[in-house]
Amino acid sequence: MKLSKNRGYVTLMTAQVISSLGDWLSIVAIITLVGLKWEATPMQVSLVFLCLALPMALLGPAAGTVADRMNRKLLMMMSDLVRAGLFLVLAFAETLWLVYLCLFTIGAFSAVFVPAKNGKLKELVAPEHMKSAMSVTSMIDSSTKVMGPLLSGLLVAAFGAKIVFFIDSASFFLSAIFIFLLPKSLETLNEEQGEEGHRFTFKHEFLTGLSFIQRDSFIVMGLAFLGVSLLILQLADSQIIILIRDLSTASPDLFGYIVTASGLGMFLAGWRLAKKTDYRAFPNMLAGVSGLGISFAMMGVCTYFDVAFSILWGPLFGLTGGFAASHIFVPFQATVQVETPVHMTGRVFGVINSVMTIATIIGPLLGGWLASQFGAVPTFIVTASILVLISFTGYLAKNKVERGRVHGTESQPGTPGATTS
């Protein structure tokens, strides 16, 4: 069955579009509320992002285990409905501490939603279509990342932050409705149940998931490449505005153009990988790491020499950087999705989500420190060189990594054990 004919998959992707747009809609509204209306300090604004990211970083592996033990459809609906309610609370919040509490809880339920969604995707999509499905997921993420803040900014300017929180709440409620409409699956016996049908303990299942990851060199190495690349990507992204400030002539809108071009590059890469699914994951990841490094290096070099027409080369390298980044993330996650048994998908993607979130927390902080100590241009060039060096090191280890892919034959399509959807 083609993906476009798979009703469950289309319904799940519709829910993802709505909830992802809701995620990004809230960012501008929250910053407007905290930073402008309440005149919060830079540290207080930073805590906004930390409250969203920290629970996802800390709870990822445990949340993934929960997603493997429980009804994934129910978990996703509960997560959306709770977040919908919390955004309503934010609309009437009067203190920073209430905002922090709501955002931390939203982050915690997002930590459950992500592995549950990936597990549900494994249930609904046949292995031969999984790479295309993950590419489409990436296209949705990159599109909403660009459109969400833009739309939110327009709405905040026109109607104020409160109305955006109402719209955000409605988006999560609508997403929950679409998840409710997902087709049911047959209940099957969990592969991790004991001989008498009793489940193993939460601790046992948690450790089994970690053991599964440790035994597969592709997942271990790929996760290392993913984490380091995302850390440097976030490091550079957070300092682009500082980098272009060193240019003698730069459009005030240059930063926005670079970010938009980066999102477009990620979208185009997702579209390419959705069409061409017979790729080898690890070589694509190595090319992506190298391409990302070269893009950042060229930004640094062009800024150092104060090259004219930054309105052209800035977005161009943003485009190539986004295109390269997707060739790291999409092949890795698609291959892991294909090769991971359905009853372990939540745990594996819980760990992946945790690593990615930790990188997004550390990256901007490290970038700020490096740029303040050594300057933006050296920071870009040095970190870009590290990416190229990492890519070369990965090439030397390529054969060993690909020989270590031992789980591909274990992956089975279908439903998770002891759950209905």
Side-chain angles (χ1 to χ4, degrees), residues 8 17 20 53 104 108 171 182 186 211 265 312 314 321 327 363:
V17 169
S20 294
F104 189 89
S171 73
L182 286 173
L186 294 177
S211 176
L312 297 179
H327 280 79

Side-chain angles (χ1 to χ4, degrees), residues 29-203:
I30 292 169
I31 297 303
T32 300
L33 176 68
V34 173
L36 296 182
K37 184 180 178 181
W38 294 349
E39 298 182 349
T41 66
M43 179 58 70
Q44 289 172 329
V45 173
S46 298
L47 285 175
V48 167
F49 296 99
L50 189 62
C51 284
L52 277 170
L54 193 60
M56 297 182 71
L58 297 177
L59 303 177
T65 306
V66 171
D68 284 339
R69 287 173 63 93
M70 297 181 64
N71 184 321
R72 287 166 176 163
K73 177 176 169 180
L74 182 61
L75 281 175
M76 294 165 66
M77 288 176 58
M78 180 179 66
S79 176
D80 273 346
L81 291 174
V82 169
R83 288 184 291 178
L86 288 168
F87 277 110
L88 284 179
V89 174
L90 281 174
F92 299 99
E94 296 292 340
T95 66
L96 268 175
W97 288 111
L98 181 57
V99 171
Y100 293 151
L101 178 61
C102 287
L103 292 180
F104 189 89
T105 311
I106 287 169
F109 279 92
S110 295
V112 174
F113 184 91
V114 172
K117 184 206 74 175
N118 280 291
K120 193 64 184 173
L121 186 67
K122 178 79 171 181
E123 298 175 33
L124 296 171
V125 177
E128 61 268 22
H129 294 143
M130 188 57 71
K131 288 184 176 180
S132 292
M134 292 300 290
S135 298
V136 172
T137 296
S138 172
M139 292 166 66
I140 291 172
D141 287 339
S142 58
S143 300
T144 54
K145 182 179 181 180
V146 173
M147 294 302 299
L150 176 62
L151 181 59
S152 181
L154 293 174
L155 290 171
V156 168
F159 305 106
K162 181 175 289 190
I163 191 66
V164 176
F165 289 129
F166 289 140
I167 295 172
D168 208 13
S169 176
S171 73
F172 281 106
F173 183 75
L174 185 58
S175 173
I177 293 175
F178 275 98
I179 292 170
F180 175 76
L181 296 175
L182 286 173
K184 288 186 176 292
S185 304
L186 294 177
E187 184 172 338
T188 59
L189 184 67
N190 194 314
E191 294 180 36
E192 292 190 351
Q193 288 178 324
E195 293 182 0
E196 297 180 2
H198 298 296
R199 285 179 180 269
F200 289 125
T201 64
F202 181 94
K203 179 181 177 180

Side-chain angles (χ1 to χ4, degrees), residues 289-306:
V289 172
S290 180
L292 187 62
I294 292 170
S295 296
F296 286 154
M298 291 306 298
M299 278 190 181
V301 169
C302 287
T303 302
Y304 179 77
F305 289 105
D306 201 11

